[in-house]
Amino acid sequence: MAEQYDLLIRGGVCLLPEGARAVDIGVRDGRIAAIGAPAGATAAEVIEAAHLHVLPGLIDAHVHLRDPGDATVESIPTGTQGALLGGITTVFDMPNTSPPIIDAERLAWKRQYVEGAAWCDIGLYVGATKGNIGELAALERGAGVCAIKVFAGSSTGDLLIEDDASLERVMRAGARRIAYHSEDEYRLRERRALFGVGDPHVSHMRWRDEECAFLGTRRLLALARKTGRPAHILHVSTAEELAYLPDFRDIATSEVLVNHLTQIAPECYESLGALAVMNPPIRDRRHFDAAWAAVNAGLVDCVGSDHAPHSLAAKARPWPDCPAGLPGVQTLLPVMLDHVAAGRLSLSRLVELLGAGPARVYGLRGKGALVVGNDADFTLVDLAARRRIEAAAMAAPCGWTPFDGKQVTGWPVMAILRGAVAMREDRLIGAPRGRLAAFTPR
Ligand code: DOR
Ligand code: ZN
């Protein structure tokens, strides 16, 4: 009797944990049932993947979908549509919404809201405040929670825990890995006055200089070491932090953003102005080179987008009143595939950084790798496709991308979520089927 599956992905090159192999994948009940399905296997649905690479459904562990907030800028439905269109099948959503996700009540609301509104699977961050430290241990164990997020330096919204005593209390409450926005708030405050209203956007990177990031990370790593609490340093942006982090590999993981691997200052401010302003800032070539070296040395765990949409009207305000942040969930994979085409990293490394890495760092269950038993999430990519990124194609209502007009080689042509095709050739298929992701708290 021939093997029978619900879905068969045939003829593609699959990015398995042990390497790239031309094997067929069989899916049953929304899970991977066979890697290397036998010849002659049949299925209700067959996807012919000749000339395509089959990746595990990829994860963007750093998005701000602004929901609750301003749906004319971004929302859970549109943000998760953008994710699928960009070949991302799971996102982890940040808590600095309006109002922020900082207590059991809002978390419960968000949980029930996302199941029905989200098009891809989703994990939820909970924000730490000086007022909710006593609740964090319970909150981090909640269903669908990927991590507690601490803004140790202020950015968009008013979540902030800047002093060592409070940071230590946060670290001693609970056990899971904490995700940090790491910039030293005291240095940010001190330097803010040095740069005037109406200054060019390049002032932004001078204000939030390398030292802000390095001091922030050094303080957080010392506290992580002291308390034994695992840390994940988000959007590491300096050569100094990247040189410092390896001594803390036992306790700290790290993320680098696609923007920091793609854009260079000050040129980015000349071409994009406020559309390049983000926290931490895009920096000069020395840091760009250090980020690539760290990625290729295996010293970075995740690459994320930090998808952080703002309206063009807000971005038009003169610095420093223009908000920091750039949309990117839909362009993360196309831009990273273009880096693969340019020889800056291997496709296996990309899969590690957008699949197994985030799964390991956050304790995500059943995703991030092509192994039997995992969710049948797949991202199919055409490495040879030549495409142009266009603002008009973005799902985010804010309607812009810093990569508008960029020509790329490599494109996601299909996204499969728990066994069902959810995106095919730039079109969404079906309805919002996203569910809360599952985590193994540790
Ligand atoms: O540029 C940024 N934008 N950095 C952050 O830390 C927050 C984000 C946002 O929410 O706008
Ligand atoms: Zn962010």
Side-chain angles (χ1 to χ4, degrees), residues 64 66 96 151 155-156 181 235 278-279 306 308 310 324-325:
H64 300 257
R66 310 289 192 222
N96 59 333
F151 282 89
S155 192
T156 301
H181 179 111
H235 43 48
M278 59 178 293
N279 299 331
D306 200 355
H310 292 280

